Amino acid sequence: MATVTSFSLELVDRIGGSVDAVGAQERAATLAKRSIKKESKLWVLDLAIRCCDLTTLEGSDSPGKIRQLASKAMRPNPSDPSVPSVAALCIYPRLVSVAAQALKSSSVKVASVATAFPSGQASLDSRVQEIERAVADGADEVDIVISRGAFLAGDEEGVFKEIAASRQAAGAAQVKTILEVGELGSYDAIRRAALVAMAAGSHFIKTSTGKIAASATLPTALVMAEAIRDFADFTGGQVGLKVAGGIRSAKDAIRYLVIVNETLGDSWLSPDRFRIGASSLLNDLLMQIDFQRNGFYSDPDRYTLD
C-alpha cells in the first residue's frame, strides 16, 4: 500500500468519476430517514460526542474561554463520568499554547485552524509559517483551507502543491483540508477538490469553515464520503471525513453518522476517521443522553453555553 504522501496529481485523473447530482440528493434524503433502534441510541450519542471537535472561532475568544472549553471538552458532563471526552478542541492559532496546557493530561487533541482561515487569501510562505507556529505551540491537528479561487480558476497543481507543503509543515500533526463546499459550485467540483486534497496528503477532508452561509449538507457529505471510498479502493489509503457548519442537533449528527456507516463502513465510525465540527451540538447530545436514560429532558441551563 502506498503512503498518502507518495501520490501525484495524476492520481486524481486516474480515479476520476463524475457525480450524479440527482442520485446523490435522493440517496442522501433516503439515508436521512433511517431510524436508530432505541437500544442503540445511547451508543450512537456516545459515538457522536467522541467524534466532536468542540469549536470556538470568534474574535472575542480569550484564554479564559479556552480554559473553560478545555474543561468541557474533557468532561462534557461533570456530573456523569460515563460521558466521554470529545475528540478535539478547535481554536485559532494564537490560543493553541493555552489549550495545550489545559489539555495536556487528557486524550483531547488540540486542533488549530490555519493558512489564513477562513479565506485562504495569503501567501504560501505565511500560511506555512502559521502551521509551523501552531504545531510548535502544541497543536496535534491543523485544519487548513484550500485556495478556492485558484481551484475554480483551474490551477489544481497550485492547490495540490499548497496542500502538500502544508502537510510537510505540519510534521507529525494531522492535517484536515477544508474544501469550503459552499463556494465550489457543483458536486463534481467538490469530488474533484476532495481527490486533489487526498492525493496531496491530507489526513482528513472537511466540508466547510462554518463562516459562510452554505456549509455542510447531507448530499455534499455523501459526495465526499464516496470520494474517500473510491480513493481507498484505488490506493489503500484511508482518509477521514469531517463535517462542519450548521450542525446543531443530535438528529443532524446521527444523519451524518448513517451516511458514513452506509458509505464507508464500520471502520470509519471512529474519531480517527470521522469528526463533527460544532460549537452548539454538544449540549444537545448531552440533553438527548439524559432523555434516553431518564425519560425527560434536562433544563438547558444545566449545561454551559459555548
Side-chain angles (χ1 to χ4, degrees), residues 2-18:
T3 61
V4 177
T5 52
S6 68
F7 302 128
S8 71
L9 190 58
E10 294 176 1
L11 179 65
V12 177
D13 290 324
R14 293 172 65 191
I15 297 175
S18 60

Side-chain angles (χ1 to χ4, degrees), residues 3 140 180 182 189 228:
T3 61
D140 304 296
E180 198 67 293
I228 290 170

Side-chain angles (χ1 to χ4, degrees), residues 6 13 32 41 66 72 88 90 93 102 112 139 149 156-157 173 178 181 186 190 199 225 261-262 270 275 281 299 302:
S6 68
D13 290 324
K41 280 280 181 68
I66 299 307
K72 183 168 185 175
C90 186
S112 176
E156 292 183 358
E157 183 176 359
I178 305 169
V181 293
S186 70
I190 292 167
N261 183 55
E262 292 292 329
S270 159
R275 298 287 182 85
L281 170 64
D299 186 335
R302 176 182 175 188

Side-chain angles (χ1 to χ4, degrees), residues 140-263:
D140 304 296
E141 303 172 355
V142 182
D143 290 26
I144 69 170
V145 289
I146 68 167
S147 298
R148 281 87 73 192
F151 179 83
L152 292 170
D155 186 13
E156 292 183 358
E157 183 176 359
V159 173
F160 178 94
K161 288 179 177 178
E162 286 184 351
I163 297 170
S166 298
R167 166 70 189 267
Q168 183 175 5
Q174 295 258 304
V175 171
K176 307 190 201 90
T177 299
I178 305 169
L179 307 183
E180 198 67 293
V181 293
E183 292 184 343
L184 294 185
S186 70
Y187 294 131
D188 280 347
I190 292 167
R191 176 181 170 86
R192 187 82 181 179
L195 292 172
V196 170
M198 290 187 285
S202 295
H203 299 94
F204 276 75
I205 52 173
K206 177 179 173 183
T207 59
S208 322
T209 63
K211 295 298 184 182
I212 67 170
S215 293
T217 65
L218 296 174
T220 55
L222 176 64
V223 167
M224 291 170 67
E226 289 178 342
I228 290 170
R229 179 199 61 202
D230 295 345
F231 184 86
D233 288 346
F234 199 90
T235 68
Q238 294 187 330
V239 176
L241 173 66
K242 179 174 176 180
V243 294
I247 304 168
R248 298 182 176 88
S249 72
K251 184 178 292 186
D252 288 338
I254 290 171
R255 286 170 174 161
Y256 285 106
L257 284 166
V258 168
I259 282 178
V260 170
N261 183 55
E262 292 292 329
T263 309

Side-chain angles (χ1 to χ4, degrees), residues 80-99:
D80 185 354
S82 71
V83 174
S85 300
V86 303
L89 177 59
C90 186
I91 54 177
Y92 278 119
R94 184 179 67 84
L95 295 161
V96 164
S97 61
V98 177

Side-chain angles (χ1 to χ4, degrees), residues 71-72 75-81 83 286 302-304:
S71 178
K72 183 168 185 175
R75 292 287 301 275
N77 185 351
S79 66
D80 185 354
V83 174
L286 294 173
R302 176 182 175 188
Y303 305 113
T304 57

